[in-house]
Amino acid sequence: MSPDSAQVAVRLAQQIEASGPVSVAEYMRVANTAYYGRADPLGAAGDFITAPEISQMFGEMVGIWLSDLWLRHRPAACYYVELGPGRGTLAADALRTMKRLGWEPSVHFVENSPALRAKQVQAVPDATFHDNLETLPTDAPLFVVANEFFDALPIRQIVSTPGGWRERVVVQDGVSGFAAMPGACVTEDLIPEQFRTAAMGSIYELCPEASSIMHQLSARLAQQGGVMLVIDYGYTQPALGDTLQAVQSHTYADPFTNPGQHDLTAHIDFFELSNCAKNCDLLVAGPSDQGAWLSALGIDQRAQILAAANPSRAADIASARNRLVAPDAMGALFKILAAYAPDWPQPEGFGL
Ligand code: SAH
């Protein structure tokens, strides 16, 4: 256990001793703030790898998708916004492609990790940083991208018990540090009606922060114009299940040991995000499988061009393309959702 991680565990233990068990959401928030704040966790040598870190082609396809909308709508001014940009790789690849296609919007990053901000500034030196959405510019349309951002936000877990649906809380556990158990009763109203009589032990997850961010951004897009692209893994219809997972050095770990030392994520609820956008009068495309979306945008043609220009890397390029597109790799697990202002053109890549 690193000193940082030990500190997080001690702080959580003290908090629990002083004021009782914390919700799974609070546990996840404290653990992930420490985890992302301390170092860059991405890449082959880190804990996990994301699509833009696999190949430049991913960011390029995002850049092409955004450029198509920009070319068809031609706003007088606009901003590129990215939520949780990691190392800034996706932004750098997308912005390079956008420049080739004739536009160079100013760049705004919403990021709360000091360690990752330092990396992002190297990739995109002119970026402006924001702690949250409130300070994003209000005077022109926004082109928003969020890749594997929503899955890192804290989830609440509600579990079905003989005593009703209860919030799952985290307590201290002598052996492994922490453990989750049913806590105080919560109102059944939080549970979609079709799940209320589910088997004992069933878990329903909510991510209030994801809903709030999606709602705020959707209201902005409805007012200022623009589009938003959400890329992540998750479910497309309401679902039951415990999706909280911890990943360290590319393998799964116990989410309730060593908080702050591994990446805690949960599947995102595309159905809810889509509803947040629709409630703000945005139009929605998808969710579509990442593989289908990348193929529709021309990743195969791009892979061929890159391989022809770099014959010694042809095998690597083909393998990166497969990792991003193949259904048994990331192609079907990851989904893409677009939300856009009603007077904006229909986005490409969704088989509309
Ligand atoms: N989009 C990147 C990184 C994904 S990891 C990629 O695809 O490679 C999640 C990112 O979200 C990290 O940059 C992390 O620091 C950031 N993040 C997590 N929670 C956040 C929050 N509440 N506010 C702002 N950024 C957050």
Side-chain angles (χ1 to χ4, degrees), residues 13 49 54 76 95 131 139 146 161 185 220 263 265 270 291 311 320 324:
I49 192 156
I54 291 173
L95 291 162
D131 292 330
D139 59 343
T161 75
C185 229
R220 288 289 207 97
D263 183 38
T265 62
F270 280 106
L324 295 172

Side-chain angles (χ1 to χ4, degrees), residues 55-57 60 301-311 317:
S55 166
Q56 70 186 73
M57 293 184 284
E60 289 172 349
Q301 290 81 345
R302 182 61 182 145
Q304 278 166 17
I305 291 167
L306 281 176
N310 310 274
I317 293 165

